[in-house]
Amino acid sequence: MIVEKFVLIDIGSNTIRSVLYEADGTLSKMENIVFPSYILSDTTDGILSERGILTLIDDIKKVKEYFTPCKSFYAFATSAMRDVKNFADVFERIKKETEVEIDLISGDVEAECDYLAIKNVSGEKTGIAV
């Protein structure tokens, strides 16, 4: 049986959450780390500041170091980064300095993921979540 380990990096408005998963026909969460996200406070007029970019790069490097020797990293960003006007430049710098590409997910995909997570955690078939 082949066991593959990969790290999922969720770059959000409040946190940068990284989770190590193990896939062996099923998917199991192994371990996670969380950093505060300063994207909102480091963004002015839609531009992520140099400090914000460097912090994000540093946090991704810390994730890679923490989860060494894992080689598979998948990063995605949500609403905070969708509003960053210089995202293309930020994306290129992060890719160049960390070798991690960020997938900027749409609001629809983010909402679907939130729904599935709440449904999975709650176990309820119906309800309202805020």
Side-chain angles (χ1 to χ4, degrees):
M1 173 174 33
I2 298 174
V3 175
E4 181 181 346
K5 291 184 179 183
F6 64 94
V7 176
L8 186 65
I9 304 170
D10 174 357
I11 301 168
S13 302
N14 300 307
T15 60
I16 298 168
R17 183 172 183 258
S18 303
V19 183
L20 173 66
Y21 288 95
E22 186 173 271
D24 60 356
T26 64
L27 188 64
S28 50
K29 177 179 157 185
M30 304 295 293
E31 166 176 17
N32 70 310
I33 57 172
V34 179
F35 297 105
S37 171
Y38 300 103
I39 293 169
L40 294 178
S41 62
D42 283 341
T43 300
T44 305
D45 297 325
I47 304 296
L48 183 60
S49 70
E50 182 66 15
R51 182 182 85 158
I53 295 167
L54 292 174
T55 300
L56 193 49
I57 289 169
D58 188 51
D59 287 346
I60 292 172
K61 285 180 178 179
K62 287 177 189 173
V63 167
K64 288 185 74 175
E65 182 178 320
Y66 183 82
F67 288 115
T68 300
C70 187
K71 301 291 185 221
S72 281
F73 293 86
Y74 171 73
F76 67 93
T78 57
S79 64
M81 289 300 281
R82 279 196 303 273
D83 297 335
V84 171
K85 294 176 184 173
N86 60 332
F87 176 76
D89 295 331
V90 173
F91 173 89
E92 286 304 318
R93 284 191 55 193
I94 290 170
K95 182 179 172 182
K96 179 181 176 189
E97 295 190 37
T98 69
E99 299 178 340
V100 172
E101 292 188 36
I102 299 174
D103 184 11
L104 187 61
I105 64 172
S106 70
D108 289 343
V109 169
E110 182 177 1
E112 184 177 356
C113 290
D114 289 343
Y115 163 76
L116 293 171
I118 290 167
K119 184 178 174 186
N120 185 43
V121 170
S122 74
E124 298 294 326
K125 301 243 185 267
T126 63
I128 296 174
V130 178

